[in-house]
Amino acid sequence: MELLVLGGTAFLGHEIARSALAQGHRVTCAARGSAEPPAGAAFVRIDRDEDDGLAPLTGRRWDVVIDVARQPGHVRRAVRDLAADHRVFVSSGNAYADFSSIEQAEDAATLAPLAADTMSSDDDYGAAKVACEQAVLAAGPAAVVRSGLIGGPGDWSGRSGYWPWRFAHPVGPEVVVPDDLRFPCAMIDVRDLAAWIVDLAGRRVEGTFNATGPTTDLESVLEVAARVAGSSARPRPVPVERLRELGIGDWMGPATLPLWIDDPDWRGFATMDTRRARAEGLTMRPLEETLTDVLAWEETRTQPRRCGLTDDDERRVLTAL
Ligand SMILES: NC(=O)c1ccc[n+]([C@@H]2O[C@H](COP(=O)([O-])OP(=O)(O)OC[C@H]3O[C@@H](n4cnc5c(N)ncnc54)[C@H](OP(=O)(O)O)[C@@H]3O)[C@@H](O)[C@H]2O)c1
């Protein structure tokens, strides 16, 4: 198939393009060019912030357009300007309105769509994704993939890599972890998600799909992380109230403990009912393989991790206990 990936130079989009090339498709990636697409893909430089930014891609018809955008204006202009037989939009579990229950299905309520073309802050992310979904679905045959946390090699956020990395590089015999060890966790390996998205595109599958890994809990993830790191360090569960007193946050950002959210209303956030995707062919490698490979990637990381505790944070917390 003749595939256009809008994006294709960053984490998931790059892997989608790589996977499509490996499956024998012709692939064009289009972005501003802050990073390279995979070898073998054609590259077209575009700026989707401009109203006519897609002009270099018009005047032809694509078999499938895959879009990873966040800004509704980017997606509204893409469906307006690009002719395609089929579209796949990569959305997010953030589209849902409520995260208090685990494993929500695709018919759970979503947020109201963002009317504006541009998010005014990251708080608009879920509503922006809903607006993008609606624009793509209104344009013709399409699949929407609501992804959960994407892990594996190239996870610049560090959320999937932090725990294996921390167990591989403890500052002492113990590793600081939240005592909320039953927190529900799930993640999907970027390679499994990308391969499945290409498969959906090739078969022109329509519909809305949740996509993440099986539900597990923080304790199980920590066990796998310590094992793949070959670490003898022991988890040191710290009461959530104590973490708060010490200025340690959750999920993402400086001085945080990832894969955990300190809010009962977000307890189901990481998990999704994925029966529909699995019936449509989504398969997942074991978490052990994802964490082994993301640890190898973490050891070569060139940008700062955007979550977790630095060695200084870790020592400060352990000393304070
Ligand atoms: N990471 C997660 O855990 C997670 C979880 C759920 C859902 N998701 C979704 O999964 C997807 C991740 O995709 P990704 O890793 O490929 O995305 P990404 O990191 O958001 O990259 C965005 C892509 O779009 C391009 N781009 C950004 N602004 C542009 C502009 N103004 N004009 C043209 N191109 C532009 C970027 O390249 P340039 O900068 O070179 O232009 C890049 O190729 C997103 O849809 C995200 O919402 C992620």
Side-chain angles (χ1 to χ4, degrees):
M1 87 186 132
E2 194 74 52
L3 180 66
L4 172 62
V5 181
L6 292 170
T9 58
F11 180 41
L12 175 64
H14 190 279
E15 185 60 25
I16 289 171
R18 200 201 57 72
S19 181
L21 288 163
Q23 293 180 39
H25 302 299
R26 287 182 302 282
V27 179
T28 301
C29 298
R32 292 167 301 184
S34 40
E36 297 286 318
F43 180 70
V44 178
R45 194 174 301 275
I46 57 167
D47 186 351
R48 303 179 72 180
D49 292 334
E50 304 293 332
D51 188 58
D52 63 351
L54 296 169
L57 300 168
T58 57
R60 58 177 297 180
R61 190 169 187 87
W62 304 91
D63 292 331
V64 180
V65 173
I66 299 179
D67 197 350
V68 299
R70 291 145 205 264
Q71 303 289 5
H74 288 187
V75 176
R76 290 172 183 142
R77 290 195 282 274
V79 300
R80 181 194 70 189
D81 295 347
L82 301 179
D85 290 345
H86 191 83
R87 296 171 205 267
V88 180
F89 178 68
V90 179
S91 187
S92 164
N94 285 72
Y96 291 112
D98 180 89
F99 301 112
S100 52
S101 59
I102 68 159
E103 296 193 356
Q104 299 192 82
E106 289 85 351
D107 59 359
T110 56
L111 294 165
L114 189 71
D117 273 348
T118 307
M119 296 187 279
S120 49
S121 78
D122 286 348
D123 292 344
D124 287 338
Y125 176 60
K129 282 296 207 185
V130 175
C132 296
E133 289 185 4
Q134 293 187 356
V136 171
L137 291 169
V144 163
V145 175
R146 291 186 183 138
S147 177
L149 178 73
I150 305 170
D155 174 13
W156 53 269
S157 80
R159 288 170 295 186
S160 64
Y162 174 73
W163 291 113
W165 174 82
R166 173 49 72 201
F167 276 99
H169 301 281
V171 298
E174 294 180 322
V175 164
V176 173
V177 307
D179 73 348
D180 185 7
L181 293 167
R182 296 277 85 78
F183 187 84
C185 294
M187 73 175 76
I188 185 163
D189 190 293
V190 63
R191 297 162 292 185
D192 298 332
L193 179 60
W196 181 64
I197 285 172
V198 174
D199 177 54
L200 281 186
R203 293 186 291 120
R204 314 289 197 271
V205 174
E206 296 178 40
T208 298
F209 300 90
N210 288 337
T212 194
T215 301
T216 177
D217 62 21
L218 184 60
E219 183 169 38
S220 305
V221 176
L222 296 173
E223 276 170 16
V224 176
R227 189 162 66 242
V228 305
S231 178
S232 55
R234 297 181 307 278
R236 172 77 187 264
V238 181
V240 171
E241 301 70 31
R242 191 76 180 107
L243 289 173
R244 283 194 209 125
E245 285 166 13
L246 293 166
I248 304 303
D250 58 1
W251 194 250
M252 194 154 164
T256 54
L257 294 175
L259 306 190
W260 162 68
I261 302 180
D262 181 16
D263 184 340
D265 290 341
W266 284 67
R267 209 156 177 84
F269 177 64
T271 70
M272 288 196 256
D273 179 343
T274 58
R275 280 174 293 183
R276 195 184 280 180
R278 284 184 281 121
E280 209 45 83
L282 175 65
T283 56
M284 274 156 295
R285 70 196 68 211
L287 180 63
E288 185 145 6
E289 190 177 329
T290 302
L291 297 192
T292 299
D293 294 347
V294 74
L295 175 57
W297 181 82
E298 283 281 343
E299 301 292 11
T300 64
R301 168 189 276 282
T302 51
Q303 307 153 295
R305 193 176 295 105
R306 298 194 181 178
C307 64
L309 303 190
T310 62
D311 287 355
D312 285 348
D313 294 329
E314 182 88 359
R315 283 192 200 94
R316 179 172 66 82
V317 174
L318 288 167
T319 306
L321 297 176

Short mmCIF file of all heavy atoms in Angstrom, two decimals, residues 195-217:
data_model
loop_
_atom_site.label_atom_id
_atom_site.label_comp_id
_atom_site.label_asym_id
_atom_site.label_seq_id
_atom_site.Cartn_x
_atom_site.Cartn_y
_atom_site.Cartn_z
N ALA A 195 3.13 -2.40 14.74
CA ALA A 195 2.88 -3.48 13.79
C ALA A 195 1.38 -3.70 13.61
O ALA A 195 0.89 -3.93 12.50
CB ALA A 195 3.56 -4.77 14.26
N TRP A 196 0.64 -3.59 14.70
CA TRP A 196 -0.80 -3.82 14.63
C TRP A 196 -1.50 -2.67 13.88
O TRP A 196 -2.41 -2.89 13.09
CB TRP A 196 -1.38 -3.98 16.04
CG TRP A 196 -2.84 -4.23 16.05
CD1 TRP A 196 -3.50 -5.33 15.53
CD2 TRP A 196 -3.85 -3.38 16.57
NE1 TRP A 196 -4.85 -5.19 15.72
CE2 TRP A 196 -5.09 -4.00 16.37
CE3 TRP A 196 -3.82 -2.14 17.21
CZ2 TRP A 196 -6.30 -3.44 16.77
CZ3 TRP A 196 -5.02 -1.58 17.62
CH2 TRP A 196 -6.23 -2.21 17.39
N ILE A 197 -1.04 -1.46 14.10
CA ILE A 197 -1.62 -0.31 13.38
C ILE A 197 -1.40 -0.48 11.87
O ILE A 197 -2.31 -0.23 11.07
CB ILE A 197 -1.02 1.01 13.92
CG1 ILE A 197 -1.63 1.32 15.29
CG2 ILE A 197 -1.24 2.16 12.94
CD1 ILE A 197 -1.00 2.50 16.02
N VAL A 198 -0.23 -0.93 11.48
CA VAL A 198 0.04 -1.15 10.05
C VAL A 198 -0.87 -2.27 9.52
O VAL A 198 -1.41 -2.18 8.42
CB VAL A 198 1.53 -1.47 9.81
CG1 VAL A 198 1.78 -1.85 8.36
CG2 VAL A 198 2.39 -0.27 10.22
N ASP A 199 -1.04 -3.29 10.33
CA ASP A 199 -1.92 -4.40 9.93
C ASP A 199 -3.36 -3.90 9.76
O ASP A 199 -4.03 -4.22 8.76
CB ASP A 199 -1.84 -5.50 11.00
CG ASP A 199 -2.78 -6.65 10.71
OD1 ASP A 199 -2.69 -7.20 9.59
OD2 ASP A 199 -3.60 -6.99 11.57
N LEU A 200 -3.85 -3.11 10.72
CA LEU A 200 -5.20 -2.54 10.61
C LEU A 200 -5.32 -1.73 9.33
O LEU A 200 -6.33 -1.81 8.62
CB LEU A 200 -5.48 -1.58 11.77
CG LEU A 200 -5.86 -2.08 13.14
CD1 LEU A 200 -6.20 -0.91 14.03
CD2 LEU A 200 -7.03 -3.05 13.08
N ALA A 201 -4.28 -0.92 9.05
CA ALA A 201 -4.30 -0.06 7.86
C ALA A 201 -4.34 -0.91 6.60
O ALA A 201 -5.12 -0.63 5.68
CB ALA A 201 -3.07 0.84 7.87
N GLY A 202 -3.53 -1.96 6.57
CA GLY A 202 -3.46 -2.81 5.38
C GLY A 202 -4.78 -3.50 5.09
O GLY A 202 -5.14 -3.72 3.94
N ARG A 203 -5.52 -3.81 6.16
CA ARG A 203 -6.80 -4.50 5.99
C ARG A 203 -7.97 -3.51 5.97
O ARG A 203 -9.13 -3.92 5.92
CB ARG A 203 -6.99 -5.53 7.11
CG ARG A 203 -5.99 -6.69 7.01
CD ARG A 203 -6.26 -7.78 8.03
NE ARG A 203 -6.00 -7.36 9.39
CZ ARG A 203 -6.91 -7.35 10.36
NH1 ARG A 203 -8.14 -7.73 10.13
NH2 ARG A 203 -6.58 -6.95 11.58
N ARG A 204 -7.68 -2.22 6.05
CA ARG A 204 -8.70 -1.15 6.02
C ARG A 204 -9.77 -1.39 7.10
O ARG A 204 -10.97 -1.21 6.86
CB ARG A 204 -9.41 -1.03 4.66
CG ARG A 204 -8.49 -1.04 3.45
CD ARG A 204 -7.67 0.25 3.35
NE ARG A 204 -7.11 0.41 2.02
CZ ARG A 204 -5.93 -0.08 1.63
NH1 ARG A 204 -5.17 -0.74 2.49
NH2 ARG A 204 -5.50 0.13 0.40
N VAL A 205 -9.32 -1.80 8.27
CA VAL A 205 -10.28 -2.08 9.36
C VAL A 205 -10.83 -0.75 9.87
O VAL A 205 -10.09 0.22 10.04
CB VAL A 205 -9.57 -2.85 10.49
CG1 VAL A 205 -10.50 -3.01 11.70
CG2 VAL A 205 -9.10 -4.20 9.99
N GLU A 206 -12.14 -0.72 10.12
CA GLU A 206 -12.78 0.49 10.63
C GLU A 206 -13.24 0.28 12.07
O GLU A 206 -13.50 -0.84 12.48
CB GLU A 206 -14.00 0.85 9.77
CG GLU A 206 -13.63 1.19 8.33
CD GLU A 206 -14.85 1.49 7.47
OE1 GLU A 206 -15.78 2.16 7.98
OE2 GLU A 206 -14.87 1.05 6.31
N GLY A 207 -13.33 1.38 12.81
CA GLY A 207 -13.85 1.31 14.18
C GLY A 207 -12.92 1.96 15.17
O GLY A 207 -11.85 2.46 14.82
N THR A 208 -13.34 1.93 16.43
CA THR A 208 -12.56 2.53 17.52
C THR A 208 -12.08 1.41 18.43
O THR A 208 -12.86 0.53 18.80
CB THR A 208 -13.43 3.54 18.28
OG1 THR A 208 -13.79 4.58 17.37
CG2 THR A 208 -12.69 4.15 19.46
N PHE A 209 -10.78 1.46 18.77
CA PHE A 209 -10.16 0.36 19.51
C PHE A 209 -9.31 0.89 20.66
O PHE A 209 -8.48 1.78 20.44
CB PHE A 209 -9.23 -0.44 18.58
CG PHE A 209 -9.92 -1.05 17.40
CD1 PHE A 209 -10.02 -0.33 16.21
CD2 PHE A 209 -10.48 -2.31 17.49
CE1 PHE A 209 -10.68 -0.88 15.11
CE2 PHE A 209 -11.13 -2.87 16.39
CZ PHE A 209 -11.23 -2.15 15.20
N ASN A 210 -9.48 0.28 21.83
CA ASN A 210 -8.50 0.48 22.90
C ASN A 210 -7.29 -0.40 22.62
O ASN A 210 -7.44 -1.53 22.15
CB ASN A 210 -9.09 0.03 24.24
CG ASN A 210 -10.16 0.96 24.77
OD1 ASN A 210 -10.20 2.14 24.41
ND2 ASN A 210 -11.01 0.44 25.64
N ALA A 211 -6.10 0.10 22.94
CA ALA A 211 -4.90 -0.71 22.74
C ALA A 211 -3.93 -0.50 23.89
O ALA A 211 -3.32 0.58 24.02
CB ALA A 211 -4.23 -0.35 21.42
N THR A 212 -3.84 -1.50 24.75
CA THR A 212 -2.78 -1.51 25.76
C THR A 212 -2.51 -2.95 26.16
O THR A 212 -3.14 -3.87 25.64
CB THR A 212 -3.11 -0.62 26.97
OG1 THR A 212 -1.90 -0.42 27.72
CG2 THR A 212 -4.17 -1.22 27.88
N GLY A 213 -1.55 -3.13 27.06
CA GLY A 213 -1.21 -4.47 27.50
C GLY A 213 -2.15 -4.97 28.58
O GLY A 213 -3.05 -4.24 29.03
N PRO A 214 -1.92 -6.22 29.02
CA PRO A 214 -2.77 -6.79 30.06
C PRO A 214 -2.63 -6.02 31.38
O PRO A 214 -1.56 -5.51 31.68
CB PRO A 214 -2.25 -8.22 30.23
CG PRO A 214 -1.19 -8.42 29.21
CD PRO A 214 -0.86 -7.13 28.56
N THR A 215 -3.71 -5.99 32.13
CA THR A 215 -3.68 -5.31 33.43
C THR A 215 -2.84 -6.12 34.41
O THR A 215 -3.00 -7.32 34.55
CB THR A 215 -5.10 -5.15 33.98
OG1 THR A 215 -5.86 -4.39 33.02
CG2 THR A 215 -5.11 -4.44 35.32
N THR A 216 -1.92 -5.41 35.06
CA THR A 216 -1.14 -6.02 36.12
C THR A 216 -1.11 -5.01 37.27
O THR A 216 -1.98 -4.14 37.32
CB THR A 216 0.26 -6.42 35.59
OG1 THR A 216 1.01 -6.95 36.66
CG2 THR A 216 1.02 -5.25 35.00
N ASP A 217 -0.17 -5.12 38.19
CA ASP A 217 -0.11 -4.09 39.22
C ASP A 217 1.35 -3.65 39.42
O ASP A 217 2.28 -4.26 38.87
CB ASP A 217 -0.76 -4.52 40.54
CG ASP A 217 -0.10 -5.72 41.17
OD1 ASP A 217 1.08 -6.01 40.84
OD2 ASP A 217 -0.74 -6.38 42.00
#
